[in-house]
Amino acid sequence: LVFISIFSFLQVIRLYFSYLCITNKMATSASASLSKAVKQQYMELPQGDKVQAMYIWIDGTGEGLRCKTRTLDSEPKSIEDLPEWNFDGSSTYQSEGSNSDMYLIPSAMFRDPFRKDPNKLVLCEVLKYNRKPTETNLRLTCKKVMDMVADQHPWFGMEQEYTILGTDGHPFGWPSNGFPGPQGPYYCGVGADKAYGRDVVEAHYKACLYAGVQICGTNAEVMPAQWEFQVGPCEGIDMGDHLWVARFILHRVCEDFGVVASFDPKPIPGNWNGAGCHTNFSTKEMREDGGLKAIEDSIEKLGKRHSYHIRAYDPKGGLDNARRLTGRHETSNINEFSAGVANRGASIRIPRNVGQEKRGYFEDRRPSANCDPYSVTEALIRTCLLNEEGDEPVDY
């Protein structure tokens, strides 16, 4: 009887742990369970002289990306070799059904890391039926502004933070009914109990390098399941182009793994770090000897235009960033402008080595993770180089 009781107890324990494993299983998409080996049989088939070009664009939310593919008769060597295309804007929050055709204008081309050479990824601008830009096509004005200051060679580097989630919106690797240990061991952490989802990060990094995206680094962030990749240095309009394509590649990689990449600036409320897109900026003058004076002049201009930049730094005009820029968790207060050397609680940080060498760049820590890089970089140029003032951009 004692033996039977012990055996029954062990059975109960085994069933309990089986239940825990089931309830703690991460929610992933159904397509992730499809056989990748079967798919690979078809991906390896020859395609003759034909080329698949995946056209990518920003939808009417200003955050979402859409894509579709067309066949080309030969490999395009430049943007000029790519034809315009169109799509149904009523299904992407960009038009009404009664007048829904929108134009896709190829703007930047990259190698396709999913279908591989000679196939292409094509980032596009979107125009309405009357050939005017859609409300979320911020590339057009950004390009115009960048061209105006091309002789100053503006360089940018953007640090894109994101959070890996299950398809149910729960952070990857977190207990289903609780929280992981407090922040501290996760930033640049190593080990299964500290780094959540590294496979996604490694796959994304390699895919970006293959595509020709100017990715320059990556690291685990302060909150578990939160990561960052850096893109740059990029000059002018290339910054926005490369960051948007890096985001697209991340979404596609996550699709293959059955998880979701979130750019929400505060995905988990409470005592957890938010997600930003810190933006590093310099000009030729700032990078040369004595450039610290130009850096300080730009920071002074930024301080006089804080509200304009806050509106430009997230797609909801500052509402998203209000959840993140609280003055806590390595952020400044959204209502106040501040700057300092090596100060990660300031609006603008001057790196310590820049202060010592008296030249280099500064970091604007205000942009949210879901910002539009065209809007962010354009705002910096308008204030720092075109000397605009006030709460509204100048119409050139």
Side-chain angles (χ1 to χ4, degrees):
L1 288 174
V2 172
F3 175 77
I4 293 173
S5 297
I6 293 173
F7 179 77
S8 299
F9 175 75
L10 291 175
Q11 284 289 86
V12 169
I13 293 295
R14 185 181 65 81
L15 290 171
Y16 175 69
F17 277 105
S18 296
Y19 168 76
L20 286 181
C21 289
I22 292 170
T23 56
N24 282 316
K25 187 177 180 181
M26 177 59 57
T28 58
S29 68
S31 60
S33 63
L34 295 174
S35 172
K36 306 304 179 186
V38 171
K39 173 190 172 186
Q40 193 60 28
Q41 295 180 57
Y42 301 101
M43 297 303 289
E44 292 173 353
L45 291 173
Q47 59 188 61
D49 295 329
K50 303 293 185 181
V51 171
Q52 292 172 285
M54 181 175 284
Y55 282 45
I56 305 162
W57 70 97
I58 302 162
D59 69 16
T61 66
E63 300 179 61
L65 287 164
R66 308 293 179 113
C67 65
K68 64 176 187 171
T69 301
R70 69 181 298 164
T71 302
L72 305 177
D73 291 331
S74 60
E75 182 179 359
K77 302 301 181 183
S78 68
I79 283 295
E80 289 69 33
D81 296 335
L82 293 162
E84 291 185 10
W85 206 7
N86 57 69
F87 68 95
D88 170 20
S90 68
S91 299
T92 60
Y93 316 114
Q94 289 170 296
S95 72
E96 296 180 357
S98 58
N99 193 8
S100 64
D101 280 0
M102 314 289 282
Y103 295 104
L104 289 172
I105 312 300
S107 301
M109 182 170 66
F110 297 81
R111 298 168 70 195
D112 188 336
F114 306 103
R115 294 165 173 157
K116 302 192 175 73
D117 290 336
N119 303 301
K120 306 296 181 186
L121 301 179
V122 182
L123 183 65
C124 299
E125 288 189 25
V126 179
L127 302 182
K128 300 177 183 178
Y129 70 94
N130 56 7
R131 308 289 295 187
K132 292 184 178 180
T134 58
E135 287 71 19
T136 55
N137 177 3
L138 304 183
R139 188 182 189 277
L140 199 66
T141 57
C142 182
K143 178 71 163 59
K144 182 187 294 186
V145 166
M146 292 298 175
D147 289 344
M148 292 172 66
V149 298
D151 60 330
Q152 299 190 53
H153 300 286
W155 288 4
F156 301 93
M158 299 186 80
E159 306 168 21
Q160 177 68 72
E161 294 178 335
Y162 64 96
T163 309
I164 302 175
L165 307 176
T167 52
D168 58 357
H170 196 68
F172 183 83
W174 285 35
S176 59
N177 296 311
F179 298 91
Q183 296 183 152
Y186 309 108
Y187 173 71
C188 297
V190 179
D193 58 340
K194 299 178 183 69
Y196 298 9
R198 193 184 294 276
D199 285 352
V200 170
V201 177
E202 295 294 342
H204 173 250
Y205 203 150
K206 281 295 184 72
C208 282
L209 289 173
Y210 182 94
V213 169
Q214 196 70 18
I215 189 170
C216 61
T218 189
N219 59 269
E221 267 303 332
V222 177
M223 187 180 83
Q226 187 184 76
W227 295 81
E228 173 184 300
F229 64 89
Q230 303 92 32
V231 175
C234 294
E235 186 165 331
I237 197 67
D238 285 349
M239 185 67 255
D241 291 347
H242 282 244
L243 189 63
W244 272 116
V245 171
R247 287 175 174 177
F248 172 81
I249 292 173
L250 178 61
H251 285 309
R252 278 286 286 103
V253 167
C254 284
E255 186 181 316
D256 284 345
F257 282 101
V259 295
V260 176
S262 169
F263 297 114
D264 189 294
K266 189 69 174 179
I268 306 298
N271 195 27
W272 303 98
N273 273 36
C277 194
H278 304 153
T279 301
N280 303 280
F281 173 61
S282 71
T283 62
K284 186 174 184 292
E285 182 183 8
M286 294 177 190
R287 296 187 292 271
E288 293 176 343
D289 289 342
L292 183 60
K293 175 64 168 58
I295 291 172
E296 291 172 340
D297 289 346
S298 288
I299 292 173
E300 185 177 350
K301 296 172 189 176
L302 290 167
K304 297 175 181 177
R305 218 177 182 209
H306 180 60
S307 60
Y308 163 71
H309 282 266
I310 288 297
R311 291 202 312 275
Y313 285 179
D314 83 50
K316 296 181 178 64
L319 293 177
D320 276 347
N321 241 344
R323 294 183 284 122
R324 167 181 163 259
L325 296 179
T326 61
R328 300 180 63 219
H329 305 111
E330 299 182 56
T331 69
S332 59
N333 188 297
I334 193 170
N335 299 311
E336 301 170 0
F337 180 85
S338 57
V341 174
N343 185 356
R344 283 178 164 77
S347 308
I348 306 293
R349 179 181 71 93
I350 299 176
R352 190 171 301 284
N353 67 307
V354 172
Q356 292 170 346
E357 297 175 8
K358 310 298 183 186
R359 64 186 178 95
Y361 66 97
F362 66 84
E363 176 192 51
D364 193 333
R365 297 178 60 80
R366 294 171 293 176
S368 65
N370 61 343
C371 70
D372 188 322
Y374 297 129
S375 178
V376 172
T377 56
E378 178 185 331
L380 284 167
I381 295 298
R382 286 179 177 274
T383 300
C384 299
L385 303 188
L386 296 179
N387 302 313
E388 292 185 15
E389 298 177 347
D391 289 338
E392 298 298 330
V394 175
D395 185 10
Y396 295 103

